[in-house]
């Protein structure tokens, strides 16, 4: 297991003026790991815009806090648990859920929804990828269902670059009264308490494990999930919050007590004296193990010394432990002792702030090769029926119902828009609605990390407006291979710049996020995989009036010849070529505004975003959802007249939607879209029993609705059990 | 609806003057051992048993049904779904018996669009129990399709006195238009209950 590098050891010795002892070294090694310290990324993350109308600005929280009006706030956080899930998918994914839930809880809000983004190798050919998928889904179901928090959405993707590996991203939303937020503060003399599960040997060194390439299957570094204890912790904490007992609160995650105590002291500007002998443990542990164990379902609280008995009484009601493990001090030191015997004493400012790096970066050589790659020819005969059907069965496009039906997505009775649609929408107690969509696209980000990352962001915004919500904030989750590789680091910076540019142009603040490096598989680095979550707010829920034959289909937004990283090229032609879809912020704003205006005017019966598989797949999915065929002239869609049928069908240009309107409303809708500056055209009508797509007067795809529906609905389950 | 509702902690006694009891869903004790097995020994069950014997209406939904079965207040058992997985989906059930305090506002045979969300939702009863259930008209709801392998597609049953009902589907998730499909309305289950207990008050 890695500890401090020689340079870091020297830096630490220089700062504290002596050689650290072994306990101090292990505490600092946990906190200075990439996972906890962000030492490679921190300097660059400053480029993200972080101010916005709804943001409750308090950097002491582990989750973003957004004011949604009426005295209420929502909280949002996103994290991944990739390394543990790649080794032990059930436990890794389950504890990933638990960790994010506690980040939400640490603000004093109740977790109300989960989303998960899962990525694996190619499940069609890779049985290990299928095992990882099954394990991760079971782990998420086991944990989320048991704690009574609905899993309301997410995404599922497959790419050979994740062979023998797994990306498990979990996002969560919390909800509560603004007046009940934990006001993170501490006075010297306050008690430090550890609440929840007992500390054991599981997960020791987990944050360092996650900050290294996956060379060892070190299962002891994977934490053990106990969702029932988590549920008890949630209820006990919220009861203590209502009783006003909690001065400050923090989740124990990566780095365990080492990170929680040093980060909490540092952010509150106080010192702490911690007695490891008072920590409730489940087995005999050495002091450094107590400090770095990542046992789950634990929270660190600061309370008035006179409140300890009240806190313990609440915890006893729920059958969980609450140990007084230390005291807030006036000094600026993190002092660790074992019943009086000194183990470590270092200034918290040093422990909590690793020396930051400024790593070199260079444009990767593979991009030159990609630029020269030959674009596949149009299919002979110009018939794309078979390719459309095949794409509907692609694991990256097929229905994920087989997965999300394993998750309770309705518990709590807030879920208005369920999984499988564009974004999740939940009702709140203030008569408003919050949406969350998470989107990644490694295929695009591989071809052009800057445009690809901005595209993920825009796609999440598109999904947000599809359910009638306005984006109010963004969380970014940056997943890359080793930052020590200058080519990888270049892709990280490019992605970050793409996201920042879009955030500034659209005035959507970055309210939180996470960086995960060292995502390496035995066969090499993963593709750049930023995942963007967009939080939206709506005043009303979509009305969803019935769709009828004769309703018109409208294409919003301009198509371009942007086939780079397209699912069509990779799935049908097994190749990557062409230029990556670019986000034009002017068109983006116009199209997002147009969709919101259609919602506000009550004109759009349905709006669906156009992404993977282009207009062809977007139209087919719309037909499958509505149980109706269609007759569409694709050359009528903005930008499609002169590009060739394959490009018109499958280009993945951004800022595009497909909408359904009652025929009498069509002209008014076009006028509204034009007023927003969005390109928009009627391209066809619902009716019949086949998905019929024409291009310049010739049929280019005709697929029976039943065939399309069966393929889309059943492919993933069949493949997953392959 | 004008009724006072109170949550009762599982280690406390029920207050006096209770008109009806709802045991909701929710993974009591994390489904350890068997769903509902540990909660069936909670102190509050003693009072619920007494209320049940005095014909007070009691409904158990999902985990509440599992607890009532484990407590012996309803016949049969709830096993792992035949898919061996948790399932969350909307389905249809039919009202088999509308002569209970919970179903009197339905027509017999009426279909309800309603969601299920459980891992151990497969109702099982042996032949002798099934005969009793059939003879006593104790089958309250049946699934329209065989979604989980339940004996006779049973979704809900009652005791022989018909004041205690357990059901795996979630009527509380199908009682407001905003959170369910347009054709879902399970609210008559609650309105039946309220009418029953309201009538009992007068």
């Amino acid at each position: 297991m890695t500890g401090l590098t020689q340079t870091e050891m020297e830096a630490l010795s220089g700062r504290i003026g002596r050689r650290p002892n072994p306990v101090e070294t292990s505490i600092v090694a946990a906190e200075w790991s990439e996972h906890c310290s962000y030492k490679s990324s921190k300097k660059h993350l400053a480029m993200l815009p972080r101010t916005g109308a709804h943001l409750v600005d308090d950097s002491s929280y582990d989750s973003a806090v957004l004011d949604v009006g009426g005295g209420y706030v929502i909280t949002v956080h996103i994290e991944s648990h990739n390394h543990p899930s790649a080794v032990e998918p059930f436990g890794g994914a389950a504890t990933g859920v638990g960790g994010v839930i506690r980040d939400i809880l640490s603000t004093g809000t109740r977790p109300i929804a989960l989303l998960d983004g899962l990525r694996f190798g190619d499940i069609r050919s890779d049985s290990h990828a299928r095992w990882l998928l099954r394990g991760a889904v079971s782990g998420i179901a086991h944990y989320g269902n048991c704690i009574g928090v609905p899993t309301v959405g997410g995404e599922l993707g497959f790419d050979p670059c994740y062979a023998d590996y797994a990306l498990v991203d979990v996002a969560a939303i919390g909800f509560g009264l603004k007046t009940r937020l934990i006001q993170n503060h501490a006075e010297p003399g306050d008690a430090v308490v550890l609440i929840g599960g007992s500390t054991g040997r599981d997960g020791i060194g987990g944050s360092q494990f996650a900050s290294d390439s996956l060379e060892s299957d070190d299962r002891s570094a994977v934490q053990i999930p106990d969702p029932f204890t988590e549920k008890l912790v949630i209820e006990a904490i919220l009861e203590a919050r209502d009783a006003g007992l909690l001065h400050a609160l923090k989740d124990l995650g990566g780095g365990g007590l080492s990170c929680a105590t040093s980060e909490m002291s540092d952010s509150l500007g106080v010192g702490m004296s911690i007695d490891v002998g008072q920590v409730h443990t489940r087995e005999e542990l050495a002091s450094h193990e107590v400090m770095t164990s990542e046992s789950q379902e634990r929270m660190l609280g600061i309370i008035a010394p006179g409140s300890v008995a009240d806190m313990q009484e609440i915890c006893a009601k729920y059958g969980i432990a609450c140990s007084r493990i230390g005291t807030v001090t006036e000094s600026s030191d993190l002092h660790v002792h074992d019943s009086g015997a000194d183990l470590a004493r270092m200034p918290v400012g040093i422990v909590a702030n690793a020396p930051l790096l400024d790593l070199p970066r260079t444009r990767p050589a593979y991009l030159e090769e990609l630029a020269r790659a030959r674009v596949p020819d149009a299919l002979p005969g110009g018939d794309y029926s078979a390719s459309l059907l095949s794409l509907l069965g692609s694991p990256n496009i097929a229905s994920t119902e087989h997965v999300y039906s394993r998750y309770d997505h309705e518990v709590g009775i807030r879920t208005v828009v369920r999984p499988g649609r564009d974004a999740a929408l939940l009702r709140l107690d203030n008569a408003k609605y919050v949406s969350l969509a998470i989107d990644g696209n490694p295929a695009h980000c591989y071809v052009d990390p800057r445009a690809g990352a901005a595209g993920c962001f825009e796609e999440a915004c598109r999904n947000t407006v599809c359910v009638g919500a306005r984006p109010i904030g963004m969380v970014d989750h940056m997943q890359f291979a080793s930052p020590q590789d200058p080519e990888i680091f270049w892709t990280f910076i490019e992605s970050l710049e793409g996201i920042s540019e879009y955030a500034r142009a659209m005035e959507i603040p970055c309210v939180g996020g996470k960086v995960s490096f060292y995502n390496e598989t035995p066969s090499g680095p993963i593709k750049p995989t930023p995942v963007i979550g967009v939080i939206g707010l709506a005043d009303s829920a979509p009305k969803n009036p019935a769709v009828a034959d004769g309703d018109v289909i409208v294409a919003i937004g301009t198509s371009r010849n942007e086939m780079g990283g397209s699912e069509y090229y990779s799935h049908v032609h097994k190749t990557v070529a062409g230029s990556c879809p670019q986000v034009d912020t002017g068109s983006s704003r116009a199209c997002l505004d147009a969709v919101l205006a259609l919602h506000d005017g009550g004109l759009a019966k349905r709006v669906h975003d156009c992404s993977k598989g282009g207009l062809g797949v977007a139209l087919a999915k719309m037909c499958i959802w509505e149980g109706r065929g269609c007759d569409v002239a694709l050359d009528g869609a903005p930008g499609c007249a002169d590009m060739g049928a394959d490009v018109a069908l499958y280009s993945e240009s951004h800022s595009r939607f497909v909408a359904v309107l009652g025929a009498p409303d069509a002209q008014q809708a076009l006028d509204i879209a034009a007023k927003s500056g969005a390109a928009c055209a009627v391209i066809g009508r619902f009716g019949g029993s086949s998905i019929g797509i024409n291009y310049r007067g010739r049929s280019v795809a005709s697929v029976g609705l039943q065939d399309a529906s069966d393929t889309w609905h059943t492919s993933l389950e069949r493949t997953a059990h392959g | 609806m004008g009724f006072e509702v109170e949550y009762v902690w599982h280690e406390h006694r029920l207050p006096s003057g209770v008109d009806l009891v709802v045991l909701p869903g929710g993974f009591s004790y994390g489904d350890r051992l068997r769903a509902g097995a540990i909660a069936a020994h909670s102190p509050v069950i003693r009072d619920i048993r007494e209320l049940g014997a005095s014909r007070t209406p009691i409904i158990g939904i999902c985990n509440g049904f599992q607890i009532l079965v484990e407590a012996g207040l309803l016949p049969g058992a709830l096993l792992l779904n035949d898919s061996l997985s948790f399932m969350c989906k909307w389905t249809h059930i039919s009202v088999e018996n509308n002569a209970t305090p919970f179903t009197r506002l339905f027509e017999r045979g009426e279909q309800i669009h309603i969601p299920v969300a459980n891992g151990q939702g497969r109702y099982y009863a042996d032949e002798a129990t099934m005969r009793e259930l059939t003879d006593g008209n104790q089958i309250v709801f049946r699934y329209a399709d065989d979604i989980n392998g339940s004996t006779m597609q049973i979704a809900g049953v009652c005791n022989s006195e018909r004041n205690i009902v357990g059901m795996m589907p979630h009527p509380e998730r199908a009682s407001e238009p905003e959170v369910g499909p347009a054709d879902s309305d399970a609210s008559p289950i609650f309105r039946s209950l309220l009418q029953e207990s309201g009538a009992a008050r007068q």
Side-chain angles (χ1 to χ4, degrees):
Chain A
M1 197 58 63
T2 41
L4 293 173
T5 65
Q6 189 165 351
T7 320
E8 285 171 340
M9 183 56 105
E10 282 161 16
L12 177 60
S13 304
R15 287 183 184 187
I16 64 173
R18 58 181 169 81
R19 295 290 290 180
N21 68 38
V23 174
E24 291 171 332
T25 304
S26 61
I27 290 172
V28 173
E31 180 58 34
W32 286 13
S33 67
E34 186 67 54
H35 182 84
C36 297
S37 72
Y38 291 70
K39 59 193 170 192
S40 303
S41 59
K42 206 168 195 172
K43 283 185 178 175
H44 304 283
L45 294 172
M47 75 171 79
L48 291 162
R50 291 183 188 274
T51 51
H54 294 270
L55 191 58
V56 176
D57 190 24
D58 185 338
S59 56
S60 74
Y61 292 127
D62 289 337
S63 303
V65 182
L66 293 156
D67 191 327
V68 291
Y72 289 97
V73 293
I74 57 159
T75 52
V76 183
H77 192 58
I78 189 166
E79 282 210 350
S80 61
H81 229 203
N82 302 339
H83 275 70
S85 300
V87 175
E88 207 281 81
F90 182 92
T95 53
V97 171
V100 176
I101 289 293
R102 289 191 304 278
D103 283 320
I104 295 295
L105 185 62
S106 69
T107 59
T109 55
R110 178 180 284 280
I112 59 164
L114 286 161
L115 288 88
D116 56 84
L118 306 178
R119 291 191 162 72
F120 305 95
D122 187 348
I123 52 164
R124 287 167 301 187
S125 54
D126 179 349
S127 64
H128 187 65
R130 291 196 286 271
W131 178 77
L132 288 166
L133 167 66
R134 284 196 297 270
V137 169
S138 297
I140 291 166
H142 170 70
Y143 211 98
N145 293 343
C146 185
I147 59 174
V149 178
T151 300
V152 295
E155 49 164 6
L156 182 58
F158 304 93
D159 189 297
C161 79
Y162 307 116
D164 296 313
Y165 198 65
L167 295 192
V168 174
D169 301 342
V170 185
I173 309 176
F175 182 61
L177 284 166
K178 194 173 180 181
T179 51
R180 295 265 171 92
L181 282 169
I182 306 291
Q183 298 296 327
N184 286 327
H185 64 98
E187 301 295 325
D190 278 357
V192 181
V193 291
L194 183 63
I195 299 155
S198 56
T199 300
R201 204 162 272 124
D202 58 317
I204 285 178
S207 62
Q208 289 128 290
F209 169 65
S211 304
D212 202 354
S213 52
L214 194 60
E215 279 158 6
S216 67
D217 275 9
D218 189 350
R219 280 170 212 257
S220 70
V222 180
Q223 306 83 358
I224 298 163
D226 179 0
F228 183 55
T229 297
E230 180 100 340
K231 174 66 176 166
L232 299 170
V233 168
I234 293 171
E235 299 307 326
I237 291 288
L238 293 178
E239 192 166 325
R241 170 203 70 179
D242 290 347
L245 299 183
L246 296 162
H247 291 183
L249 190 61
K250 190 170 177 64
D251 158 45
L252 273 83
L257 267 176
S258 294
C259 292
T261 52
S262 61
E263 287 174 15
M264 199 171 198
S265 306
D266 188 49
S267 87
L268 297 173
V270 294
M272 254 184 220
S273 178
I274 301 294
D275 182 354
V276 293
Q278 296 302 314
V279 172
H280 53 282
T281 56
R282 68 178 79 125
E283 56 200 314
E284 280 286 316
L285 294 177
S287 306
H288 74 274
E289 291 178 316
V290 173
M291 287 304 289
T292 57
S293 161
E294 294 182 9
S295 290
Q296 297 291 293
E297 292 90 26
R298 300 181 300 163
M299 301 288 288
L300 190 68
I302 291 183
I303 60 180
S307 304
V308 174
D310 292 341
M311 188 71 220
Q312 285 173 334
E313 192 181 328
I314 289 173
C315 288
K317 173 182 166 188
Y318 291 96
I320 56 173
C322 170
S323 306
R324 179 175 182 166
I325 63 164
T327 306
V328 172
T329 60
E330 248 173 278
S331 79
S332 56
D333 285 347
L334 174 65
H335 172 222
V336 182
H337 62 98
D338 187 352
S339 308
D342 280 353
L343 294 167
R345 188 189 292 273
M346 294 171 290
V348 289
I350 291 173
V351 182
N353 293 286
L356 300 185
L357 305 174
D358 203 351
L359 296 169
R361 53 189 196 262
T362 47
R363 187 183 153 85
Y366 79 83
L367 289 173
E368 299 305 322
E369 278 171 50
L370 273 184
R372 289 194 298 271
R374 212 182 126 267
V375 169
D377 294 331
L379 293 184
D383 184 356
Y384 292 88
S385 306
S387 65
L388 182 56
L389 195 58
S390 171
L391 276 170
L392 289 172
S394 158
N396 282 322
I397 287 175
S399 166
T400 56
E401 187 178 354
H402 168 62
V403 169
Y404 67 72
S405 64
R406 301 273 308 275
Y407 310 142
D408 191 334
H409 39 82
E410 299 183 342
V411 59
I413 326 186
R414 293 187 184 276
T415 314
V416 174
V417 177
R418 296 180 170 67
R421 294 303 168 107
D422 301 271
L425 190 71
L426 298 141
R427 61 176 179 180
L428 301 175
D429 301 5
N430 60 351
K432 295 198 182 211
Y433 301 80
V434 63
S435 71
L436 187 59
I438 58 172
D439 284 289
N441 192 324
H444 287 186
C445 293
Y446 178 68
V447 178
D448 182 338
R450 180 183 290 247
C456 297
F457 194 167
E458 210 236 12
E459 187 181 349
C461 289
R462 294 202 299 273
N463 285 322
T464 302
V465 298
C466 280
V467 298
R470 202 170 289 278
I472 60 167
M474 171 274 280
V475 289
D476 62 324
H477 190 8
M478 311 295 285
Q479 299 169 107
F480 291 81
S482 167
Q484 315 278 345
D485 178 336
E487 294 196 344
I488 301 289
F489 201 63
W490 185 89
T491 65
F492 168 72
I493 297 294
E494 283 287 303
S495 300
L496 202 55
E497 286 179 346
I499 293 164
S500 301
E501 284 163 10
Y502 187 76
R504 276 194 296 272
M506 304 299 288
E507 296 176 10
I508 303 170
C510 169
V511 298
K514 180 94 186 144
V515 180
S516 166
F517 281 129
Y518 299 98
N519 292 291
E520 309 259 353
T521 78
S523 44
I526 64 161
K527 290 176 178 172
T529 315
V531 169
I532 307 293
V534 166
I535 306 112
L537 197 59
D539 290 326
S540 62
K543 303 278 179 295
N544 287 326
V547 168
D549 281 354
D551 281 353
V552 301
I553 300 170
V554 169
I556 301 169
T558 306
S559 300
R560 300 187 192 83
N561 186 342
E562 295 174 314
M563 300 293 278
S566 65
E567 185 69 14
Y568 169 68
Y569 277 1
S570 78
H571 182 74
V572 175
H573 293 280
K574 318 290 175 210
T575 190
V576 180
S579 55
C580 180
Q582 303 286 315
V583 178
D584 175 273
T585 50
S587 311
S588 178
R589 188 179 295 108
C591 292
L592 296 175
D593 284 351
V595 169
L596 287 170
L598 290 177
H599 272 295
D600 291 346
L603 290 170
K605 289 187 171 183
R606 303 282 187 278
V607 186
H608 173 43
D609 108 288
C610 179
S611 51
K612 220 167 241 110
L615 280 170
V617 166
L619 288 165
K621 276 165 69 174
M622 197 94 135
C623 288
I624 293 166
W625 287 347
E626 301 306 332
R628 288 167 205 287
C630 73
D631 184 22
V632 163
L634 201 56
D635 46 314
C640 282
D642 293 312
M643 58 188 1
D646 55 345
V647 180
L649 276 166
Y650 300 130
S651 175
E652 296 178 8
S653 294
H654 295 299
S655 311
R656 294 184 305 162
F657 300 87
V658 180
V660 182
L661 309 158
D665 296 330
Q667 192 52 51
Q668 201 191 341
L670 293 181
D671 293 345
I672 284 179
K675 211 167 143 195
S676 302
C680 183
V682 173
I683 58 170
R685 283 173 187 272
F686 273 124
S689 60
S690 73
I691 301 164
I693 303 177
N694 305 290
Y695 191 72
R696 293 193 185 177
R698 217 166 56 80
S699 168
V700 289
S702 178
V703 179
L705 184 64
Q706 196 60 51
D707 267 2
S709 180
D710 290 348
T711 302
W712 186 72
H713 278 113
T714 62
S715 289
L716 188 70
E717 182 170 6
R718 279 188 280 117
T719 313
H721 289 288
Chain B
M1 287 180 166
F3 282 78
E4 279 180 40
V5 178
E6 200 178 317
Y7 285 103
V8 179
W9 183 246
H10 68 105
E11 291 172 312
H12 293 169
R13 304 293 305 255
L14 284 180
S16 58
V18 169
D19 294 316
L20 66 92
V21 178
V22 178
L23 274 79
F27 278 84
S28 58
Y29 292 93
D31 271 3
R32 283 174 191 169
L33 199 58
R34 258 190 336 268
I38 304 177
H41 294 89
S42 284
V44 77
I45 295 294
R46 280 198 304 266
D47 287 353
I48 288 175
R49 211 181 283 282
E50 274 176 32
L51 278 180
S54 67
R55 306 280 175 103
T56 300
I58 297 171
I59 186 167
I61 297 165
C62 197
N63 190 228
F65 184 17
Q66 293 162 336
I67 293 168
L68 289 174
V69 164
E70 288 288 341
L73 287 165
L74 286 173
L78 288 150
L79 311 179
L80 265 182
N81 295 330
D82 60 3
S83 66
L84 305 182
S85 295
F86 189 94
M87 59 155 56
C88 178
K89 64 181 276 183
W90 281 74
T91 186
H92 287 88
I93 57 174
S94 58
V95 178
E96 299 293 309
N97 178 351
N98 64 347
T100 79
F102 317 88
T103 52
R104 61 176 73 255
L105 292 179
F106 291 103
E107 300 293 320
R108 189 153 181 265
E110 195 173 335
Q111 296 252 317
I112 313 172
H113 196 192
I114 196 168
V116 291
N118 60 63
Q120 300 174 37
R122 176 160 64 97
Y123 186 80
Y124 174 79
D126 59 23
E127 274 182 39
T129 310
M130 279 309 300
R131 257 195 310 279
E132 278 173 37
L133 285 179
T134 314
D135 294 348
N137 200 9
Q138 287 175 246
I139 300 169
V140 183
F141 301 109
R142 291 180 64 211
Y143 299 108
D145 300 307
D146 180 12
I147 61 163
N148 62 6
S150 293
T151 307
M152 271 187 76
Q153 295 177 206
I154 286 173
V157 297
C158 62
N159 61 344
S160 54
E161 291 76 23
R162 299 185 187 171
N163 65 310
I164 305 179
V165 160
M167 62 190 298
M168 287 313 294
H170 283 276
E172 80 283 9
R173 299 184 185 183
S175 296
E176 297 166 273
E178 188 171 67
V179 289
D183 65 343
S184 68
D185 188 11
S187 67
I189 290 176
F190 300 108
R191 288 192 276 116
S192 296
L193 269 167
L194 293 172
Q195 193 184 60
E196 172 78 13
S197 56
R201 273 185 174 183
Q202 283 156 14

